[in-house]
Amino acid sequence: MMRDRRIRRLPMMLSAFLALVLAVLPLPTVLEAIRPDFLVLVVLYWSIESPRAGGLTLAFVSGLALDVTRGVVLGQHALALTLMGAWATHLRLRIRVFSVMSQCLTIFALLTGYQFVLFWIDGATGNPVTNLARWLSPVIGALIWPLMLGVLSKLHER
Amino acid sequence: MVAFRNTDTPGRTSGLLLRCVLYSLLALALIVVDKRYDHLGRIRRTLSVVTYPVQLAVTSPFEGWAWLRESVTTRDTLRADKVRLEESLRLAQFKLQRYDALEAENRQLRALRANTAGVGSRFLVADIMNFDLDAFRERALLDKGARDGVYVGQAVLDAYGVFGQIARVGQLTSEVILITDAAHAIPVQINRNGLRTVAVGTGDPGRLKLPYISTSADVITGDLLVTSGLGGGFPPGYPVGVVSEVRRDPAQSLADVEVKPAAALDRSRELLLVWLNPGAPAVTGPLPVTSATPAAPPKPPSASSENDE
């Protein structure tokens, strides 16, 4: 049991690290607006795939890492990722048997919820971002989800 | 086909709700503390230490590429840069040279403007186009003429005092006779005691004479001569010169008085043409531009007159 769990954690860490790299990769401004939230997608994947490996802890720590790299109020992404990770874990049995299309829609809902939490905390801490581009990222994330799913399952099989 | 591998045992995840609430509360606490008390600087710095390598690892290839591109800049690029920089340096040096001249010109213009404070008439700035019109006469050619309303007998000042008066007017140019011209005389008075007399040019640049001063008159070296305004040719109160030498010969009834002109007769480039007619509106603002034409130019009494003396 212990050995099994350790084996499953390595791809999780690796994928989260790669997603963090992708999240801080400098991009041109045009591409910056449509950069998917890679780390969020990775966290959602592991929350659905193997929550017992510590998906929620991963969500919280990843959120803190995002907070630090983005320089926003500490705990903002952590809270949003924790809530959405828990929701995804709650829905995991249904999501697994969904078709890809339905999965994308569910991911869209989760990412929208994620953005809403961020939006809410932004407003509550006194620096609201009224840029509509923020609501574009759930669409991008849902569109890229099948790709993420394929890559992460391959990584998981290793 | 992409799918979940279903390695997780189906069933309830133990304590999901509990952990969710715990982490959420922790995150909320972090938000509140960070926002309200700003005590998390150390935590943030510590976390930055963790994420910094990631950012460094991500950005270093870009920086390395930029460094590499800079390092292997071709010889042609460097040569082109060199040419461009040399050109801009030459341009800058050229501008710097002009700067000295501009500064002197600016100083002169400022002094000229300060001089106009008491004129209370219309005035116009004119540039000297040519100076040595005739070897034996102190004349200068100005770039303003009848088109600008210049008239014969008009007073000409510079930044430091009376320069001369207009002797001849062309359509676009005019000729000014300097106060040092042998054929010129100007009514003056001694600023110290109000003694009125006439200053006559000598034909020698930089020297005037007071030929009508009696031996007993109160004139000493250093007396300032100003225009008296009598005769109506010149505005009153403008410096004409300073008495430089007084020679009294008891055998003569008249003293021999020499005056050094106040105007920079040999240096000024910008001169001031003054209209003294009382109907002209007073101008106190910025100097009128060159193309300004007077609303009612005073007609010269005789446009073709050679000399008003």
Side-chain angles (χ1 to χ4, degrees):
Chain A
M1 186 67 188
M2 284 301 291
R3 200 166 61 97
D4 195 10
R5 202 177 266 189
R6 200 179 302 132
I7 285 165
R8 271 187 295 173
R9 270 193 187 153
L10 184 63
M12 193 160 94
M13 296 296 178
L14 192 62
S15 58
F17 180 78
L18 287 176
L20 188 62
V21 167
L22 285 175
V24 298
L25 192 72
L27 284 180
T29 321
V30 183
L31 293 179
E32 190 75 56
I34 60 166
R35 184 212 294 264
D37 297 321
F38 289 110
L39 194 52
V40 183
L41 291 173
V42 166
V43 165
L44 290 180
Y45 174 84
W46 292 111
S47 299
I48 295 163
E49 172 61 37
S50 54
R52 295 209 179 168
L56 216 52
T57 310
L58 175 75
F60 184 77
V61 174
S62 302
L64 278 185
L66 279 177
D67 287 332
V68 174
T69 54
R70 301 268 166 92
V72 295
V73 60
L74 209 57
Q76 183 181 21
H77 288 87
L79 178 63
L81 265 182
T82 302
L83 289 174
M84 290 310 124
W87 193 12
T89 308
H90 181 65
L91 295 174
R92 70 189 186 284
L93 295 180
R94 265 166 287 176
I95 293 175
R96 280 176 198 164
V97 296
F98 276 170
S99 69
V100 172
M101 191 63 186
S102 305
Q103 278 185 20
C104 286
L105 286 177
T106 316
I107 292 299
F108 176 74
L110 286 167
L111 288 174
T112 307
Y114 172 75
Q115 288 296 335
F116 184 79
V117 175
L118 293 185
F119 181 64
W120 173 64
I121 295 170
D122 271 344
T125 53
N127 27 327
V129 179
T130 50
N131 194 348
L132 284 176
R134 138 172 288 171
W135 304 107
L136 189 66
S137 75
V139 181
I140 307 284
L143 288 177
I144 210 172
W145 172 253
L147 186 69
M148 292 291 291
L149 191 60
V151 170
L152 287 172
S153 338
K154 280 282 190 307
L155 186 72
H156 198 182
E157 280 172 22
R158 293 279 163 87
Chain B
M1 184 62 207
V2 289
F4 289 100
R5 290 184 66 243
N6 227 346
T7 52
D8 183 32
T9 49
R12 297 190 66 82
T13 315
S14 55
L16 173 67
L17 186 66
L18 183 69
R19 282 193 296 157
C20 176
V21 170
L22 200 71
Y23 280 135
S24 299
L25 285 178
L26 189 55
L28 276 173
L30 277 175
I31 291 169
V32 170
V33 173
D34 194 13
K35 186 67 193 167
R36 282 288 160 84
Y37 304 106
D38 205 19
H39 283 327
L40 294 179
R42 171 174 282 178
I43 298 175
R44 190 182 281 274
R45 277 195 293 277
T46 312
L47 286 170
S48 306
V49 170
V50 180
T51 53
Y52 178 73
V54 177
Q55 286 170 320
L56 192 68
V58 164
T59 53
S60 54
F62 292 90
E63 282 166 9
W65 174 245
W67 178 83
L68 200 67
R69 274 183 58 179
E70 198 179 334
S71 304
V72 298
T73 313
T74 61
R75 186 163 163 272
D76 281 348
T77 316
L78 286 175
R79 280 173 59 90
D81 274 1
K82 179 171 171 290
V83 169
R84 188 173 50 80
L85 289 172
E86 270 178 354
E87 194 160 331
S88 67
L89 179 67
R90 210 176 301 130
L91 200 67
Q93 278 176 341
F94 175 69
K95 281 179 179 165
L96 201 63
Q97 284 176 7
R98 285 282 302 147
Y99 176 77
D100 283 343
L102 284 174
E103 196 190 5
E105 192 179 355
N106 187 30
R107 198 165 50 232
Q108 213 165 16
L109 283 170
R110 278 176 185 280
L112 202 60
R113 243 191 101 189
N115 211 354
T116 61
V119 172
S121 260
R122 233 176 62 75
F123 50 77
L124 185 65
V125 173
D127 285 331
I128 294 180
M129 294 170 68
N130 193 356
F131 205 91
D132 293 318
L133 297 177
D134 187 319
F136 303 103
R137 296 197 296 176
E138 299 283 310
R139 307 286 173 106
L141 195 66
L142 303 185
D143 66 343
K144 298 288 181 296
R147 200 185 58 168
D148 305 295
V150 178
Y151 60 97
V152 171
Q154 188 171 21
V156 179
L157 309 177
D158 82 346
Y160 310 102
V162 177
F163 195 87
Q165 61 179 302
I166 299 295
R168 195 159 44 187
V169 177
Q171 186 58 29
L172 300 173
T173 59
S174 55
E175 193 182 315
V176 59
I177 174 170
L178 272 61
I179 53 173
T180 49
D181 190 286
H184 189 268
I186 177 173
V188 295
Q189 69 186 132
I190 292 170
N191 198 37
R192 182 169 53 87
N193 53 18
L195 179 68
R196 289 187 304 274
T197 182
V198 174
V200 178
T202 58
D204 177 12
R207 201 160 64 90
L208 289 170
K209 276 191 305 188
L210 299 183
Y212 310 120
I213 294 288
S214 66
T215 330
S216 59
D218 180 14
V219 179
I220 56 172
T221 306
D223 273 347
L224 177 67
L225 298 177
V226 299
T227 50
S228 63
L230 298 174
F234 289 94
Y238 273 84
V240 174
V242 175
V243 175
S244 57
E245 194 179 354
V246 182
R247 282 191 302 273
R248 291 188 171 90
D249 187 355
Q252 306 281 329
S253 60
L254 295 174
D256 197 357
V257 182
E258 286 194 2
V259 175
K260 188 178 179 299
L265 296 174
D266 50 353
R267 294 192 300 276
S268 287
R269 289 195 62 87
E270 287 90 9
L271 302 179
L272 202 64
L273 293 162
V274 183
W275 277 264
L276 283 176
N277 55 324
V283 178
T284 53
L287 293 172
V289 292
T290 347
S291 62
T293 50
K299 285 293 166 193
S302 52
S304 61
S305 88
E306 166 70 20
N307 198 335
D308 67 330
E309 286 297 305

